[in-house]
Amino acid sequence: ASFWLGAPRDAQWWQTWFTRYRAFAINYADLAAQTGAQTLILGGDWVQPAMPGGMLAGGIPSNVPADAEAQWRAIIADVRTHFKGQVFWAMPFTPSVVATPLNFLQDVDGIYLLWAAPVSTNQTATKADYANEAGRLLDNEVAPLASVLNKPLILAVNYPSAAGAANGCVPDGAGKCLDLSSLNRPNADITAASLNMQTQADVYEAILTAINTRSWVSGFISRGYYIPAALQDKSSSIHSKPAADILWYWFPRLLGKVQ
């Protein structure tokens, strides 16, 4: 957010930004081709200010150029000349603020939906309550998007193992909510947040229960997985946490290998 707010964002600056992003994307398209990757994911919440009608933090217009959509379509076309696998677009999901599908999304092969949505507003909610709310959000706000685009949609989930994760707000001790990324390594531990690995596991189980009856959800990703080490911390990584056992149980069943 500070990068975008501090940038000039005039016409020359934007042209340079798109030129450099294209080089960035082509570099990874080449790398994906060399390593035999099946899918390359572009986009993400970090480039939202560069979307048509882009906004900065606080609702400030980003002054993105009028040809932004054409710029993105050109980047995607260039990527496809370097990489023959699937190209997915990562976009954030914010309840009640699902943006109208952009035309250039017709140029990608699928949507990688960045999901950290609150599944409860009640501190005493159960796993069944979590599952019902996840199902409601999927049916009311995500299904229309998937229907309009008519492309595979992967749910890319991110919940920390901290109290408040299910409600979408891990308290910072000063009456506000922490940025979830601040709980990840190598950041120092934030003592104001309370460790709660069971809540993370319950939310994972609830969401997997919800998508199990919705065949239009094409896949499930656990974001923030920290490969180098098993962390018993408040981060989003499920490595060696109870949520990992939930995935161990669900994945073969979602794939149809186990009944």
Side-chain angles (χ1 to χ4, degrees):
S2 59
F3 164 79
W4 288 108
L5 287 168
R9 304 191 312 280
D10 56 22
Q12 182 178 355
W13 184 91
W14 273 113
Q15 187 54 55
T16 300
W17 189 90
F18 276 108
T19 298
R20 291 183 178 179
Y21 188 91
R22 177 191 177 279
F24 169 84
I26 293 300
N27 173 64
Y28 279 93
D30 288 338
L31 181 62
Q34 292 165 12
T35 57
Q38 295 177 320
T39 305
L40 177 66
I41 302 172
L42 300 176
D45 49 5
W46 39 90
V47 298
Q48 287 302 105
M51 295 294 99
M55 305 291 285
L56 306 179
I60 303 169
S62 66
N63 198 32
V64 66
D67 67 345
E69 187 162 297
Q71 296 265 18
W72 283 112
R73 298 191 90 148
I75 288 170
I76 293 168
D78 286 345
V79 162
R80 288 196 182 279
T81 65
H82 291 253
F83 176 68
K84 303 306 179 184
Q86 292 186 315
V87 176
F88 272 54
W89 184 264
M91 60 185 293
F93 170 71
T94 303
S96 303
V97 195
V98 177
T100 302
L102 302 171
N103 290 332
F104 76 83
L105 293 182
Q106 296 298 332
D107 296 351
V108 299
D109 299 305
I111 299 301
Y112 186 84
L113 194 65
L114 306 171
W115 175 287
V119 290
S120 173
T121 57
N122 187 341
Q123 296 294 336
T124 62
T126 65
K127 281 189 288 187
D129 295 328
Y130 297 163
N132 289 336
E133 177 62 7
R136 185 191 70 81
L137 291 172
L138 287 168
D139 290 340
N140 295 346
E141 303 195 33
V142 181
L145 174 68
S147 177
V148 168
L149 293 176
N150 192 28
K151 294 179 184 293
L153 183 143
I154 292 176
L155 209 63
V157 171
N158 179 28
Y159 290 93
S161 48
N167 306 322
C169 178
V170 176
D172 67 353
K176 296 183 179 181
C177 303
L178 288 169
D179 180 340
L180 299 186
S181 64
S182 68
L183 296 170
N184 295 335
R185 304 283 74 80
N187 296 322
D189 179 60
I190 298 176
T191 56
S194 299
L195 179 68
N196 193 325
M197 291 188 283
Q198 189 57 51
T199 292
Q200 183 189 47
D202 290 347
V203 172
Y204 265 74
E205 184 172 359
I207 294 175
L208 286 162
T209 299
I211 69 171
N212 188 45
T213 57
R214 292 165 173 83
S215 59
W216 52 268
V217 178
S218 301
F220 183 95
I221 295 289
S222 173
R223 286 192 286 148
Y225 191 90
Y226 190 72
I227 296 174
L231 300 173
Q232 302 295 292
D233 64 357
K234 304 161 192 172
S235 72
S236 296
S237 176
I238 65 166
H239 188 175
S240 200
K241 293 178 183 176
D245 294 331
I246 300 297
L247 291 188
W248 172 86
Y249 175 86
W250 270 101
F251 266 11
R253 289 162 175 80
L254 290 173
L255 294 171
K257 296 180 179 180
V258 175
Q259 298 299 318

